[in-house]
Amino acid sequence: MLAAVVRRGDTFLVCQRPPHKRHGGLWEFPGGKQEPGESDEDTARRELHEELGVEVTGVGREELAIGDPGSPFLIAFVATGISGEPTCHEHVALRWATLDDMDAMPLAPSDRRYVELLRARATR
């Protein structure tokens, strides 16, 4: 699984999962399942185009890889650049949120742990 970490200044793009899906109603960094043989960049391009209608302009290195509690998935958080204005194709809502905003938002468990890592880096 790939989670695209898209930044705009001091905000991050987060999306609210549909109620009928795993972690329904919780907020997450956009992305999805990596197909066999697919690179991080290929996955980001496909998933962000499908989910948000944007084009990926670049993919950085993996910042954190963490297991999704209660599932077999390993989620890799990867810095991702986009062009275009995101719109919800699969999510209920999207938002540009600061770390402070995300502290108060109901995030999916792995996304919460990634935000905690960002917070720890910001206070060093």
Side-chain angles (χ1 to χ4, degrees):
M1 300 273 300
L2 179 129
V5 180
V6 180
R7 290 182 89 142
R8 190 180 275 172
D10 66 346
T11 63
F12 298 84
L13 179 61
V14 290
C15 303
Q16 190 176 29
R17 292 185 60 77
H20 65 280
K21 292 203 171 183
R22 178 174 166 76
H23 301 311
L26 300 181
W27 291 81
E28 67 177 359
F29 292 90
K33 291 185 182 102
Q34 200 158 18
E35 301 295 333
E38 206 172 38
S39 69
D40 287 349
E41 186 165 347
D42 291 339
T43 302
R45 285 185 191 286
R46 179 179 50 75
E47 288 288 342
L48 271 61
H49 183 74
E50 289 172 6
E51 292 182 1
L52 300 168
V54 296
E55 299 302 317
V56 169
T57 58
V59 172
R61 64 178 180 79
E62 181 181 292
E63 296 181 9
L64 176 71
I66 188 168
D68 179 35
S71 87
F73 296 118
L74 181 70
I75 301 174
F77 290 84
V78 179
T80 305
I82 63 169
S83 68
E85 201 53 45
T87 56
C88 292
H89 294 178
E90 295 184 16
H91 293 92
V92 175
L94 63 82
R95 175 174 179 191
W96 292 96
T98 65
L99 288 178
D100 288 342
D101 294 335
M102 287 188 281
D103 284 345
M105 295 171 73
L107 297 175
S110 297
D111 298 79
R112 170 67 59 207
R113 290 183 57 197
Y114 177 69
V115 168
E116 289 168 357
L117 172 72
L118 291 177
R119 174 69 70 199
R121 286 180 182 165
T123 59
R124 284 186 195 160

